[in-house]
Amino acid sequence: MPKFAFRLDPVLGHRERIEQERAGEHAQALSDQRVAERLRDDFIARRDEMRSQLTREHAGLDGETLRATYVHLDYLDRTIDAARQRVDACVAEAERARLRLVSAARDRKVLETLKQRRRETFDLDASIADQRELDDLNARLYDRAHPLEGSSS
């Protein structure tokens, strides 16, 4: 009995490797996004803590400390804006990486479906061929066991 061979196995392997690469890229993009979000959240927490401290201690601070605190708060606001932009860029990159991963998975799935269907066709053809052989063998055995009654030789 012949063995099933899918001629596009090398292409399927290549597409699986591409999908794995895309999955790694997507994971890296998500990791970068989480790092950017943590950094942004840290800046926000520092700014909020400094604002609450300034509100509590405003009357007891000298002019130079107040000025330096407000300048630092302004710096934190600009840094938070930059961090938000970085998070937005990371989110966009993660989405692009996800779309590339979905596309690669779809390409691989198409070939896997084709392979599965060809395998089913091969199995059906092999089953039909086996059944024909068995039918032929049974017919020969029957002919040997039951010679034609009308012939006398």
Side-chain angles (χ1 to χ4, degrees), residues 57-80:
E57 301 172 6
H58 192 274
L61 298 175
D62 64 354
E64 185 61 31
T65 304
L66 284 173
R67 188 190 69 72
T69 303
Y70 281 115
V71 167
H72 189 65
L73 284 172
D74 187 48
Y75 164 76
L76 287 175
D77 286 336
R78 288 190 313 271
T79 304
I80 289 168

PDB file of all heavy atoms in Angstrom, residues 57-80:
ATOM      1  N   GLU A  57       1.175  70.442  52.154  1.00  0.00           N
ATOM      2  CA  GLU A  57       2.256  71.201  52.779  1.00  0.00           C
ATOM      3  C   GLU A  57       2.476  72.577  52.148  1.00  0.00           C
ATOM      4  O   GLU A  57       3.497  73.219  52.404  1.00  0.00           O
ATOM      5  CB  GLU A  57       3.553  70.386  52.696  1.00  0.00           C
ATOM      6  CG  GLU A  57       3.468  69.042  53.369  1.00  0.00           C
ATOM      7  CD  GLU A  57       4.688  68.182  53.104  1.00  0.00           C
ATOM      8  OE1 GLU A  57       5.657  68.679  52.490  1.00  0.00           O
ATOM      9  OE2 GLU A  57       4.662  67.013  53.502  1.00  0.00           O
ATOM     10  N   HIS A  58       1.547  73.032  51.339  1.00  0.00           N
ATOM     11  CA  HIS A  58       1.733  74.271  50.577  1.00  0.00           C
ATOM     12  C   HIS A  58       2.067  75.460  51.471  1.00  0.00           C
ATOM     13  O   HIS A  58       2.981  76.247  51.168  1.00  0.00           O
ATOM     14  CB  HIS A  58       0.488  74.569  49.734  1.00  0.00           C
ATOM     15  CG  HIS A  58       0.694  75.642  48.730  1.00  0.00           C
ATOM     16  ND1 HIS A  58       0.534  76.981  49.024  1.00  0.00           N
ATOM     17  CD2 HIS A  58       1.063  75.580  47.425  1.00  0.00           C
ATOM     18  CE1 HIS A  58       0.785  77.690  47.949  1.00  0.00           C
ATOM     19  NE2 HIS A  58       1.106  76.872  46.957  1.00  0.00           N
ATOM     20  N   ALA A  59       1.370  75.622  52.555  1.00  0.00           N
ATOM     21  CA  ALA A  59       1.561  76.793  53.413  1.00  0.00           C
ATOM     22  C   ALA A  59       2.922  76.779  54.109  1.00  0.00           C
ATOM     23  O   ALA A  59       3.496  77.842  54.375  1.00  0.00           O
ATOM     24  CB  ALA A  59       0.454  76.856  54.472  1.00  0.00           C
ATOM     25  N   GLY A  60       3.492  75.622  54.347  1.00  0.00           N
ATOM     26  CA  GLY A  60       4.753  75.535  55.069  1.00  0.00           C
ATOM     27  C   GLY A  60       5.982  75.563  54.181  1.00  0.00           C
ATOM     28  O   GLY A  60       7.116  75.510  54.682  1.00  0.00           O
ATOM     29  N   LEU A  61       5.829  75.617  52.866  1.00  0.00           N
ATOM     30  CA  LEU A  61       6.985  75.574  51.962  1.00  0.00           C
ATOM     31  C   LEU A  61       7.444  76.984  51.609  1.00  0.00           C
ATOM     32  O   LEU A  61       6.635  77.910  51.473  1.00  0.00           O
ATOM     33  CB  LEU A  61       6.624  74.809  50.684  1.00  0.00           C
ATOM     34  CG  LEU A  61       6.242  73.327  50.863  1.00  0.00           C
ATOM     35  CD1 LEU A  61       5.791  72.737  49.540  1.00  0.00           C
ATOM     36  CD2 LEU A  61       7.411  72.536  51.429  1.00  0.00           C
ATOM     37  N   ASP A  62       8.757  77.149  51.442  1.00  0.00           N
ATOM     38  CA  ASP A  62       9.289  78.455  51.031  1.00  0.00           C
ATOM     39  C   ASP A  62       9.120  78.636  49.525  1.00  0.00           C
ATOM     40  O   ASP A  62       8.790  77.700  48.798  1.00  0.00           O
ATOM     41  CB  ASP A  62      10.756  78.602  51.457  1.00  0.00           C
ATOM     42  CG  ASP A  62      11.670  77.608  50.767  1.00  0.00           C
ATOM     43  OD1 ASP A  62      11.158  76.728  50.052  1.00  0.00           O
ATOM     44  OD2 ASP A  62      12.897  77.721  50.945  1.00  0.00           O
ATOM     45  N   GLY A  63       9.356  79.814  49.039  1.00  0.00           N
ATOM     46  CA  GLY A  63       9.139  80.158  47.628  1.00  0.00           C
ATOM     47  C   GLY A  63       9.974  79.333  46.669  1.00  0.00           C
ATOM     48  O   GLY A  63       9.494  78.903  45.612  1.00  0.00           O
ATOM     49  N   GLU A  64      11.232  79.130  46.993  1.00  0.00           N
ATOM     50  CA  GLU A  64      12.109  78.366  46.099  1.00  0.00           C
ATOM     51  C   GLU A  64      11.659  76.907  45.986  1.00  0.00           C
ATOM     52  O   GLU A  64      11.672  76.329  44.905  1.00  0.00           O
ATOM     53  CB  GLU A  64      13.553  78.444  46.624  1.00  0.00           C
ATOM     54  CG  GLU A  64      14.577  77.792  45.713  1.00  0.00           C
ATOM     55  CD  GLU A  64      14.643  78.430  44.333  1.00  0.00           C
ATOM     56  OE1 GLU A  64      14.390  79.640  44.186  1.00  0.00           O
ATOM     57  OE2 GLU A  64      14.933  77.692  43.369  1.00  0.00           O
ATOM     58  N   THR A  65      11.259  76.327  47.094  1.00  0.00           N
ATOM     59  CA  THR A  65      10.774  74.937  47.078  1.00  0.00           C
ATOM     60  C   THR A  65       9.484  74.838  46.282  1.00  0.00           C
ATOM     61  O   THR A  65       9.294  73.891  45.509  1.00  0.00           O
ATOM     62  CB  THR A  65      10.563  74.426  48.522  1.00  0.00           C
ATOM     63  OG1 THR A  65      11.783  74.569  49.249  1.00  0.00           O
ATOM     64  CG2 THR A  65      10.139  72.974  48.529  1.00  0.00           C
ATOM     65  N   LEU A  66       8.589  75.791  46.463  1.00  0.00           N
ATOM     66  CA  LEU A  66       7.342  75.808  45.686  1.00  0.00           C
ATOM     67  C   LEU A  66       7.639  75.913  44.195  1.00  0.00           C
ATOM     68  O   LEU A  66       7.059  75.182  43.385  1.00  0.00           O
ATOM     69  CB  LEU A  66       6.451  76.985  46.123  1.00  0.00           C
ATOM     70  CG  LEU A  66       5.706  76.820  47.442  1.00  0.00           C
ATOM     71  CD1 LEU A  66       5.002  78.113  47.817  1.00  0.00           C
ATOM     72  CD2 LEU A  66       4.706  75.691  47.332  1.00  0.00           C
ATOM     73  N   ARG A  67       8.533  76.823  43.833  1.00  0.00           N
ATOM     74  CA  ARG A  67       8.865  76.986  42.415  1.00  0.00           C
ATOM     75  C   ARG A  67       9.457  75.700  41.865  1.00  0.00           C
ATOM     76  O   ARG A  67       9.076  75.230  40.791  1.00  0.00           O
ATOM     77  CB  ARG A  67       9.855  78.143  42.242  1.00  0.00           C
ATOM     78  CG  ARG A  67      10.102  78.498  40.763  1.00  0.00           C
ATOM     79  CD  ARG A  67      11.246  79.473  40.596  1.00  0.00           C
ATOM     80  NE  ARG A  67      12.544  78.906  40.914  1.00  0.00           N
ATOM     81  CZ  ARG A  67      13.188  77.999  40.149  1.00  0.00           C
ATOM     82  NH1 ARG A  67      12.639  77.552  39.048  1.00  0.00           N
ATOM     83  NH2 ARG A  67      14.370  77.547  40.495  1.00  0.00           N
ATOM     84  N   ALA A  68      10.394  75.103  42.587  1.00  0.00           N
ATOM     85  CA  ALA A  68      11.029  73.865  42.129  1.00  0.00           C
ATOM     86  C   ALA A  68      10.006  72.736  42.021  1.00  0.00           C
ATOM     87  O   ALA A  68      10.040  71.932  41.074  1.00  0.00           O
ATOM     88  CB  ALA A  68      12.154  73.472  43.087  1.00  0.00           C
ATOM     89  N   THR A  69       9.062  72.680  42.963  1.00  0.00           N
ATOM     90  CA  THR A  69       8.032  71.639  42.931  1.00  0.00           C
ATOM     91  C   THR A  69       7.132  71.813  41.714  1.00  0.00           C
ATOM     92  O   THR A  69       6.816  70.846  41.015  1.00  0.00           O
ATOM     93  CB  THR A  69       7.205  71.665  44.237  1.00  0.00           C
ATOM     94  OG1 THR A  69       8.088  71.499  45.350  1.00  0.00           O
ATOM     95  CG2 THR A  69       6.169  70.562  44.250  1.00  0.00           C
ATOM     96  N   TYR A  70       6.715  73.064  41.459  1.00  0.00           N
ATOM     97  CA  TYR A  70       5.862  73.312  40.285  1.00  0.00           C
ATOM     98  C   TYR A  70       6.611  73.027  38.979  1.00  0.00           C
ATOM     99  O   TYR A  70       6.020  72.499  38.026  1.00  0.00           O
ATOM    100  CB  TYR A  70       5.316  74.742  40.301  1.00  0.00           C
ATOM    101  CG  TYR A  70       4.142  74.912  41.234  1.00  0.00           C
ATOM    102  CD1 TYR A  70       4.238  75.722  42.358  1.00  0.00           C
ATOM    103  CD2 TYR A  70       2.942  74.247  40.991  1.00  0.00           C
ATOM    104  CE1 TYR A  70       3.164  75.880  43.231  1.00  0.00           C
ATOM    105  CE2 TYR A  70       1.869  74.395  41.855  1.00  0.00           C
ATOM    106  CZ  TYR A  70       1.979  75.199  42.966  1.00  0.00           C
ATOM    107  OH  TYR A  70       0.922  75.343  43.820  1.00  0.00           O
ATOM    108  N   VAL A  71       7.867  73.344  38.923  1.00  0.00           N
ATOM    109  CA  VAL A  71       8.662  73.040  37.730  1.00  0.00           C
ATOM    110  C   VAL A  71       8.758  71.526  37.546  1.00  0.00           C
ATOM    111  O   VAL A  71       8.616  71.012  36.425  1.00  0.00           O
ATOM    112  CB  VAL A  71      10.072  73.686  37.833  1.00  0.00           C
ATOM    113  CG1 VAL A  71      11.010  73.133  36.769  1.00  0.00           C
ATOM    114  CG2 VAL A  71       9.970  75.192  37.717  1.00  0.00           C
ATOM    115  N   HIS A  72       8.965  70.816  38.645  1.00  0.00           N
ATOM    116  CA  HIS A  72       9.052  69.362  38.547  1.00  0.00           C
ATOM    117  C   HIS A  72       7.701  68.762  38.145  1.00  0.00           C
ATOM    118  O   HIS A  72       7.656  67.811  37.346  1.00  0.00           O
ATOM    119  CB  HIS A  72       9.539  68.753  39.869  1.00  0.00           C
ATOM    120  CG  HIS A  72       9.846  67.300  39.760  1.00  0.00           C
ATOM    121  ND1 HIS A  72      10.871  66.802  38.978  1.00  0.00           N
ATOM    122  CD2 HIS A  72       9.249  66.216  40.326  1.00  0.00           C
ATOM    123  CE1 HIS A  72      10.888  65.491  39.063  1.00  0.00           C
ATOM    124  NE2 HIS A  72       9.919  65.102  39.884  1.00  0.00           N
ATOM    125  N   LEU A  73       6.611  69.304  38.664  1.00  0.00           N
ATOM    126  CA  LEU A  73       5.285  68.827  38.256  1.00  0.00           C
ATOM    127  C   LEU A  73       5.058  69.060  36.765  1.00  0.00           C
ATOM    128  O   LEU A  73       4.489  68.208  36.073  1.00  0.00           O
ATOM    129  CB  LEU A  73       4.194  69.517  39.085  1.00  0.00           C
ATOM    130  CG  LEU A  73       4.016  69.010  40.512  1.00  0.00           C
ATOM    131  CD1 LEU A  73       3.041  69.894  41.275  1.00  0.00           C
ATOM    132  CD2 LEU A  73       3.538  67.567  40.498  1.00  0.00           C
ATOM    133  N   ASP A  74       5.506  70.218  36.275  1.00  0.00           N
ATOM    134  CA  ASP A  74       5.395  70.509  34.846  1.00  0.00           C
ATOM    135  C   ASP A  74       6.212  69.495  34.033  1.00  0.00           C
ATOM    136  O   ASP A  74       5.757  68.990  33.004  1.00  0.00           O
ATOM    137  CB  ASP A  74       5.857  71.944  34.569  1.00  0.00           C
ATOM    138  CG  ASP A  74       5.611  72.343  33.136  1.00  0.00           C
ATOM    139  OD1 ASP A  74       4.491  72.107  32.639  1.00  0.00           O
ATOM    140  OD2 ASP A  74       6.559  72.869  32.507  1.00  0.00           O
ATOM    141  N   TYR A  75       7.406  69.192  34.520  1.00  0.00           N
ATOM    142  CA  TYR A  75       8.249  68.180  33.870  1.00  0.00           C
ATOM    143  C   TYR A  75       7.539  66.820  33.855  1.00  0.00           C
ATOM    144  O   TYR A  75       7.532  66.134  32.828  1.00  0.00           O
ATOM    145  CB  TYR A  75       9.600  68.071  34.585  1.00  0.00           C
ATOM    146  CG  TYR A  75      10.364  66.818  34.232  1.00  0.00           C
ATOM    147  CD1 TYR A  75      11.018  66.695  33.013  1.00  0.00           C
ATOM    148  CD2 TYR A  75      10.385  65.739  35.113  1.00  0.00           C
ATOM    149  CE1 TYR A  75      11.696  65.535  32.680  1.00  0.00           C
ATOM    150  CE2 TYR A  75      11.061  64.574  34.787  1.00  0.00           C
ATOM    151  CZ  TYR A  75      11.714  64.467  33.579  1.00  0.00           C
ATOM    152  OH  TYR A  75      12.375  63.321  33.250  1.00  0.00           O
ATOM    153  N   LEU A  76       6.947  66.439  34.979  1.00  0.00           N
ATOM    154  CA  LEU A  76       6.234  65.157  35.043  1.00  0.00           C
ATOM    155  C   LEU A  76       5.044  65.136  34.078  1.00  0.00           C
ATOM    156  O   LEU A  76       4.781  64.113  33.436  1.00  0.00           O
ATOM    157  CB  LEU A  76       5.780  64.861  36.470  1.00  0.00           C
ATOM    158  CG  LEU A  76       6.865  64.454  37.454  1.00  0.00           C
ATOM    159  CD1 LEU A  76       6.299  64.310  38.861  1.00  0.00           C
ATOM    160  CD2 LEU A  76       7.531  63.153  37.013  1.00  0.00           C
ATOM    161  N   ASP A  77       4.339  66.252  33.955  1.00  0.00           N
ATOM    162  CA  ASP A  77       3.217  66.329  33.001  1.00  0.00           C
ATOM    163  C   ASP A  77       3.701  66.106  31.570  1.00  0.00           C
ATOM    164  O   ASP A  77       3.083  65.361  30.798  1.00  0.00           O
ATOM    165  CB  ASP A  77       2.498  67.676  33.112  1.00  0.00           C
ATOM    166  CG  ASP A  77       1.640  67.788  34.365  1.00  0.00           C
ATOM    167  OD1 ASP A  77       1.231  66.739  34.913  1.00  0.00           O
ATOM    168  OD2 ASP A  77       1.382  68.928  34.795  1.00  0.00           O
ATOM    169  N   ARG A  78       4.825  66.751  31.213  1.00  0.00           N
ATOM    170  CA  ARG A  78       5.374  66.550  29.855  1.00  0.00           C
ATOM    171  C   ARG A  78       5.838  65.110  29.672  1.00  0.00           C
ATOM    172  O   ARG A  78       5.638  64.517  28.604  1.00  0.00           O
ATOM    173  CB  ARG A  78       6.537  67.525  29.613  1.00  0.00           C
ATOM    174  CG  ARG A  78       6.119  68.967  29.436  1.00  0.00           C
ATOM    175  CD  ARG A  78       7.268  69.848  28.951  1.00  0.00           C
ATOM    176  NE  ARG A  78       8.522  69.664  29.670  1.00  0.00           N
ATOM    177  CZ  ARG A  78       8.890  70.324  30.762  1.00  0.00           C
ATOM    178  NH1 ARG A  78       8.072  71.232  31.277  1.00  0.00           N
ATOM    179  NH2 ARG A  78      10.064  70.093  31.322  1.00  0.00           N
ATOM    180  N   THR A  79       6.446  64.553  30.698  1.00  0.00           N
ATOM    181  CA  THR A  79       6.918  63.172  30.623  1.00  0.00           C
ATOM    182  C   THR A  79       5.744  62.207  30.492  1.00  0.00           C
ATOM    183  O   THR A  79       5.814  61.228  29.735  1.00  0.00           O
ATOM    184  CB  THR A  79       7.761  62.830  31.874  1.00  0.00           C
ATOM    185  OG1 THR A  79       8.812  63.771  31.983  1.00  0.00           O
ATOM    186  CG2 THR A  79       8.334  61.436  31.782  1.00  0.00           C
ATOM    187  N   ILE A  80       4.665  62.478  31.203  1.00  0.00           N
ATOM    188  CA  ILE A  80       3.467  61.632  31.106  1.00  0.00           C
ATOM    189  C   ILE A  80       2.879  61.707  29.705  1.00  0.00           C
ATOM    190  O   ILE A  80       2.468  60.689  29.137  1.00  0.00           O
ATOM    191  CB  ILE A  80       2.434  62.026  32.184  1.00  0.00           C
ATOM    192  CG1 ILE A  80       2.956  61.600  33.560  1.00  0.00           C
ATOM    193  CG2 ILE A  80       1.075  61.400  31.907  1.00  0.00           C
ATOM    194  CD1 ILE A  80       2.169  62.171  34.730  1.00  0.00           C
TER     195      ILE A  80
END
